[in-house]
Amino acid sequence: MKKFTINTIKNLKVKVKDMNETLLNYYTIEAFIPDHSFHLVTEESDVLPINNTLVEEMIAAFVDENEFEAGKLLFESLILNPRQASDIGFWTYHNHYTFYRYISRRWGAIWNDEKKFETPSTYVGNHWIQSNSSQGELIDYPISGLWWSFYLTVDESRTDKYELTKIFFKNNSLRTKYFGQARFARHKPAIIGALEFIKDNNLENDLEQAGRAIYPYINLLGGIRPLAYFDKEWFKDKLNNRFGEQIATGEKLFVRPN
C-alpha cells in the first residue's frame, strides 16, 4: 500500500492553508480531486492491502455517532504493527484516498451550510492531514484513531475480547481527549486497568466525568515513577485507593473547580 512522503505532508499542509477559499473544489464530499498544482509524492509502505469493500462496510456500520462497529471492521482488516500504525505518511495518504468517503460522512460539517465549524483549511487539516506522530495526534484523527483505540483496549484474556473497547467507544471525549491525550496513552496496561476500574465500579453512565478524574490522576502518578513498568492491576489498585471511598459514598469523582 502507498504512503505520502513527509515532505508531501508538509507541502500539503501549507497549500491547504493558503487556498482556504477554493479548498472545496478539491476536497469534495465524494473524493479528493487534486490538480497539477498539488505536488503529491508517494512511496511504497510494507502494509498489506485491504479488501476493496472495507470502506463501504464501515460506512454502513456507522450508526448513531458510535464508531465501534466501523472501527472493528477496520481493525480486523488492516493488519498493522505499532511502528506501521505510527506512520503519518501512511495515514495521511489513505485519509485522502482509501478512507476519504468514510471521513467525509463521519465528519461532513464542512459541506453543511447549516453547521458552524472552523475555516475550511483548519477543518481539513484537523481531519485529513496528519503532521505529528504523537500518540495524542494518532488517536485524535478519524482513521488512525479507530485503529489505535482498538489496539490499546482489546483484551484477549476476556470472554469478549472487545468488552473494554465497547466502553471506550461509548464516549468520544473519554477516548480521544482524556485517555487518548494522556501521558500514559500508549501504555496498554494503563488503559486496560482504567477501563476495568470503570466497569467494575459501574461508572459507565457518566464516562466523561470518570475520565476527567482518572486521566489527570494517572498522569500525576507518571510524574514520580515510570508507568511503563507496571501492569493493569497496579493501575486498578491505585485508582481504587484514590477513588474507592468517593464511589462508596456516591460522590462524584470529578468536581469542576469554581
Side-chain angles (χ1 to χ4, degrees):
M1 297 178 75
K2 291 183 178 180
K3 65 179 184 178
F4 281 145
T5 64
I6 296 301
N7 281 338
T8 293
I9 295 174
K10 292 178 180 177
N11 293 337
L12 183 59
K13 191 172 184 179
V14 171
K15 184 170 182 62
V16 163
K17 185 176 181 180
D18 289 344
M19 64 188 312
N20 190 52
E21 297 302 319
T22 59
L23 195 59
L24 299 190
N25 294 333
Y26 307 99
Y27 285 83
T28 75
I29 195 168
E30 290 298 327
F32 172 56
I33 310 173
D35 63 17
H36 62 85
S37 67
F38 287 80
H39 301 293
L40 305 174
V41 180
T42 64
E43 54 191 8
E44 291 298 319
S45 73
D46 56 354
V47 178
L48 297 175
I50 57 173
N51 69 71
N52 294 330
T53 62
L54 173 61
V55 177
E56 294 306 317
E57 292 171 5
M58 289 175 63
I59 291 171
F62 173 59
V63 179
D64 296 331
E65 301 298 305
N66 192 310
E67 294 185 272
F68 171 79
E69 293 296 341
K72 181 180 176 183
L73 288 167
L74 174 75
F75 184 72
E76 292 182 346
S77 299
L78 184 59
I79 308 304
L80 303 173
N81 58 45
R83 174 188 60 79
Q84 294 167 324
S86 301
D87 188 342
I88 58 174
F90 173 83
W91 291 120
T92 300
Y93 176 87
H94 291 284
N95 290 346
H96 282 78
Y97 294 104
T98 308
F99 300 108
Y100 187 93
R101 292 185 68 247
Y102 179 84
I103 300 174
S104 70
R105 277 151 180 76
R106 173 65 179 93
W107 301 101
I110 192 174
W111 298 283
N112 187 336
D113 293 336
E114 296 180 359
K115 291 189 176 182
K116 294 182 180 180
F117 55 88
E118 314 99 310
T119 62
S121 61
T122 301
Y123 197 87
V124 166
N126 288 341
H127 294 85
W128 277 270
I129 304 171
Q130 298 185 225
S131 55
N132 192 312
S133 60
S134 69
Q135 190 62 35
E137 288 276 328
L138 289 169
I139 209 166
D140 199 33
Y141 273 79
I143 305 300
S144 63
L146 292 181
W147 190 93
W148 276 103
S149 294
F150 272 78
Y151 176 78
L152 290 168
T153 58
V154 167
D155 186 351
E156 298 287 350
S157 69
R158 307 178 83 86
T159 302
D160 176 6
K161 67 180 182 179
Y162 295 124
E163 185 175 18
L164 300 179
T165 311
K166 292 172 184 175
I167 295 174
F168 206 40
F169 273 86
K170 284 183 177 180
N171 186 279
N172 197 57
S173 293
L174 173 80
R175 184 172 68 86
T176 64
K177 303 303 180 188
Y178 302 142
F179 286 10
Q181 301 294 324
R183 296 173 189 167
F184 58 88
R186 198 173 286 204
H187 185 45
K188 186 167 182 172
I191 300 288
I192 294 287
L195 290 172
E196 281 195 6
F197 172 79
I198 287 172
K199 179 175 178 55
D200 292 349
N201 289 282
N202 300 312
L203 301 175
E204 295 176 50
N205 290 331
D206 198 349
L207 286 171
E208 185 155 347
Q209 189 255 137
R212 280 177 175 268
I214 290 169
Y215 97 90
Y217 176 65
I218 298 181
N219 271 348
L220 186 64
L221 294 177
I224 57 177
R225 49 178 66 82
L227 298 183
Y229 289 101
F230 300 107
D231 62 14
K232 70 174 184 179
E233 296 301 332
W234 184 88
F235 290 97
K236 288 176 65 178
D237 288 343
K238 292 295 182 183
L239 290 170
N240 278 312
N241 290 338
R242 171 63 181 83
F243 298 110
E245 185 174 340
Q246 287 174 255
I247 293 170
T249 57
E251 296 178 51
K252 289 186 176 182
L253 271 63
F254 175 82
V255 179
R256 187 183 300 277
N258 291 328

